Amino acid sequence: MNVIPPNFRVAFSGGRERWLIWLLCLAAGWRVFIYSAAFPFFNNVDEQSHFDLVVKYAQGQPPHGLEKFSTESARYFVMCGSPEYLLTPDRFPGGKFPSPPWTRPVENIAGQLLPQIAQWESKTNHESSQPPLYYAAAGLWMRLGQSCGQQDCFLLYWIRFLNVPLAALLVWLGFIAAKIIFPEQIFPRLAVPVLLAFIPQDAFYSIQNDVLSPLCFGAAFICVLRWWQTDTPTPRLALATALCLVASCLVKTTNLPAVAVAGAALLFNARRLATTGKLRNSLAAIALLFFCSAIPIAAWLLWNRHTSGDFTGSAAKIELLGWKPKPVTAWLHHPLFTPRGWWVFGSELMASFWRGEFVWLGQRLASATADLFYWISSALFLTLGALSLIPRTGATELRRALWFGFWCCVASVAFLGLLSVAYDFGNCVYPSREHPYFTSGRLLGSVLIPFMLLYARGLDQILGWIKNDRPKFFVLAGIVLFVTISEIVVNRAAFSSPYNWFHLWLAGS
């Protein structure tokens, strides 16, 4: 355990610590607001597809299998969309982007817009089979915005600003998890919410279902930790655990590996209760957990079978994208099983996990220096965090909780690796035959809190030679400062976009 000066312990205890967490929640929400407002619509990470589903759920018309884009969504695409993500100014007359459609009278540009709207209406939304939870919640939020007078492009930003309270809630959940695992260690306990408050993942600046994954599974992760702390789980805890696990499944399919690890952890705990003779008193809670988890998930699987023809709802999407399953015997020929392939997969996945996937003028919004830091620091700190758990000494609960987080991370990464090797991606742009890797870090969103717990543990281990926690916080501040400056430099171009919320607000004021 760290040697902490009494005055330093007092400075970060009780009410002052809570005030710090509230400030971090505020900082996370404010940062997400600024960048969500700076980026125009619609980004390259399928934001049109996700928004279309929000519109359909808001109208009480969830999709039945793959469907075309709605007329209302297409109108928003044309009226509020920016060409700055994928195109360059030299593609337009005069070598500069046209002014946003909403700055010109509709009657003057209607002839140009109607063919574009018709073109969008003819396209199929490949995300139609996504699980419903995010879209239902965002649909309700959209209805609330409409009742408050939000309309046109302002309504789009209203939906995106839902991510502001979600980012703040993520920091709070991270602190709760860290407080459970590191009750007597100030540095890792505070490092986790600090890192969550400033992680530059651009999924939080977009309308998309990935933003709910860290919260739903983060809450499930905390519930499993609470489950281990008691010898007789209560019905309330069983219900909360079941709801969080179900929510994780109903947000995104890629959350399933982490949910499976959580299920294995609960089975392991049931075995522990059986060996100690305490299982009988827990049977009611375990039965409640099982049925409250199984019924909603089974209902969703049956809905997929009814509307899409398969239980996952993914078969039609895979066919639309042109992917073909490869025989298992061909998997080992994948470049992922080479040193260079593993480096490409791991480094790109980890960089994307930290900073996201946005492009601007057709180029990835990324810094080679920052990406190298994200990859090296993640590999180093997670390895050190895991290695520190190997000696069978020290706090059993800490080791058990961090191992749980570690295997959640491993399972999620392994699932993306499995998807990478299992398909021939044909003429698909991403993943492709030339670059057959799933390296979208947002797909690992469910393990964001477990990842940061291990990252903070590894950082604490590498700074273990420092007996005072105060210098460690200077190192943490240096990491946050580097990450923040890198994000500002990388994303600065978006702030000058005439299509963003700031220009929209100035035009409407």
Side-chain angles (χ1 to χ4, degrees):
M1 186 177 297
N2 296 326
V3 177
I4 305 173
N7 60 337
F8 194 75
R9 183 185 296 274
V10 171
F12 286 102
S13 62
R16 294 187 179 183
E17 186 175 65
R18 286 192 294 273
W19 272 108
L20 175 62
I21 300 306
W22 281 114
L23 288 175
L24 289 173
C25 291
L26 181 63
W30 180 249
R31 186 181 58 80
V32 168
F33 170 78
I34 293 295
Y35 283 104
S36 296
F39 281 103
F41 283 89
F42 290 85
N43 63 55
N44 59 291
V45 193
D46 297 326
E47 192 168 28
Q48 290 101 333
S49 299
H50 296 294
F51 171 70
D52 178 60
L53 292 179
V54 172
V55 170
K56 289 173 178 175
Y57 276 86
Q59 296 172 341
Q61 299 174 351
H64 293 62
L66 294 186
E67 295 182 353
K68 304 291 185 181
F69 286 103
S70 69
T71 301
E72 182 176 353
S73 299
R75 185 178 67 85
Y76 278 102
F77 299 161
V78 174
M79 284 295 299
C80 305
S82 166
E84 296 164 299
Y85 287 102
L86 299 175
L87 302 178
T88 54
D90 57 18
R91 299 280 296 274
F92 297 88
K96 62 179 182 179
F97 290 114
S99 59
W102 43 263
T103 63
R104 293 170 280 170
V106 176
E107 57 272 16
N108 293 351
I109 58 175
Q112 305 172 24
L113 300 185
L114 290 177
Q116 297 178 47
I117 292 174
Q119 184 178 17
W120 274 108
E121 289 177 308
S122 67
K123 295 181 179 180
T124 300
N125 184 348
H126 66 280
E127 298 288 2
S128 296
S129 59
Q130 285 288 323
L133 185 58
Y134 169 78
Y135 306 108
L140 290 174
W141 180 255
M142 179 179 176
R143 294 286 295 272
L144 176 61
Q146 289 172 324
S147 66
C148 294
Q150 299 293 322
Q151 57 184 344
D152 299 326
C153 299
F154 282 106
L155 182 61
L156 287 176
Y157 279 102
W158 168 268
I159 300 171
R160 194 186 274 181
F161 290 156
L162 174 61
N163 298 345
V164 172
L166 297 182
L169 180 58
L170 175 64
V171 173
W172 181 75
L173 285 176
F175 173 67
I176 297 299
K179 195 173 182 180
I180 293 173
I181 296 176
F182 308 113
E184 301 297 329
Q185 297 171 272
I186 289 177
F187 177 72
R189 188 170 76 232
L190 294 181
V192 171
V194 168
L195 292 167
L196 289 172
F198 292 96
I199 184 171
Q201 172 55 253
D202 57 31
F204 284 95
Y205 316 146
S206 175
I207 296 176
Q208 59 185 68
N209 57 354
D210 299 282
V211 297
L212 268 188
S213 294
L215 286 91
C216 292
F217 188 75
F221 184 85
I222 292 171
C223 287
V224 174
L225 296 183
R226 293 295 191 193
W227 193 279
W228 279 343
Q229 288 180 332
T230 176
D231 289 334
T232 308
T234 63
R236 176 186 293 183
L237 178 59
L239 181 60
T241 306
L243 291 178
C244 291
L245 291 173
V246 168
S248 299
C249 295
L250 296 184
V251 166
K252 204 168 184 74
T253 306
T254 49
N255 297 342
L256 293 179
V259 171
V261 174
L266 291 171
L267 288 175
F268 178 82
N269 184 70
R271 179 176 177 274
R272 179 182 65 86
L273 294 175
T275 57
T276 57
K278 300 176 181 178
L279 182 61
R280 180 184 296 273
N281 294 333
S282 304
L283 287 178
I286 293 174
L288 182 64
L289 170 67
F290 175 78
F291 285 107
C292 290
S293 301
I295 293 174
I297 294 175
W300 172 243
L301 293 176
L302 291 174
W303 169 262
N304 285 334
R305 185 71 175 82
H306 172 68
T307 58
S308 302
D310 68 294
F311 288 108
T312 65
S314 60
K317 176 181 177 179
I318 291 172
E319 182 179 358
L320 178 68
L321 294 175
W323 301 354
K324 301 293 183 181
K326 294 194 299 186
V328 177
T329 54
W331 289 7
L332 293 179
H333 300 296
H334 194 279
L336 182 61
F337 297 106
T338 65
R340 183 183 180 279
W342 174 248
W343 165 259
V344 170
F345 174 74
S347 60
E348 292 187 9
L349 178 63
M350 198 48 57
S352 175
F353 178 78
W354 279 86
R355 47 95 170 133
E357 302 170 68
F358 284 4
V359 299
W360 195 259
L361 306 184
Q363 300 295 318
R364 180 74 65 196
L365 285 174
S367 161
T369 302
D371 285 359
L372 186 63
F373 169 77
Y374 297 146
W375 163 240
I376 293 178
S377 67
S378 298
L380 177 61
F381 296 161
L382 264 66
T383 300
L384 289 175
L387 290 176
S388 70
L389 307 177
I390 293 177
R392 302 189 63 83
T393 58
T396 302
E397 288 188 5
L398 181 147
R399 290 191 298 104
R400 185 168 54 193
L402 288 179
W403 274 125
F404 171 37
F406 173 80
W407 288 114
C408 286
C409 294
V410 169
S412 298
V413 173
F415 182 67
L416 296 187
L418 176 62
L419 292 178
S420 298
V421 304
Y423 290 97
D424 176 353
F425 298 107
N427 296 321
C428 188
V429 177
Y430 167 78
S432 64
R433 284 177 175 170
E434 294 73 26
H435 193 81
Y437 307 99
F438 276 90
T439 55
S440 297
R442 58 189 170 82
L443 302 180
L444 300 178
S446 61
V447 298
L448 186 54
I449 287 177
F451 174 91
M452 287 304 178
L453 290 165
L454 286 160
Y455 191 94
R457 169 73 172 185
L459 178 59
D460 189 39
Q461 291 294 305
I462 206 170
L463 298 177
W465 57 276
I466 303 176
K467 300 306 180 182
N468 187 334
D469 271 356
R470 192 184 300 271
K472 296 181 181 181
F473 281 100
F474 286 111
V475 175
L476 179 64
I479 293 175
V480 169
L481 184 63
F482 172 78
V483 167
T484 301
I485 292 175
S486 297
E487 182 177 30
I488 293 172
V489 171
V490 164
N491 296 332
R492 67 187 184 278
F495 286 87
S496 61
S497 169
Y499 293 80
N500 68 20
W501 180 85
F502 297 112
H503 289 84
L504 181 67
W505 180 75
L506 289 173
S509 61

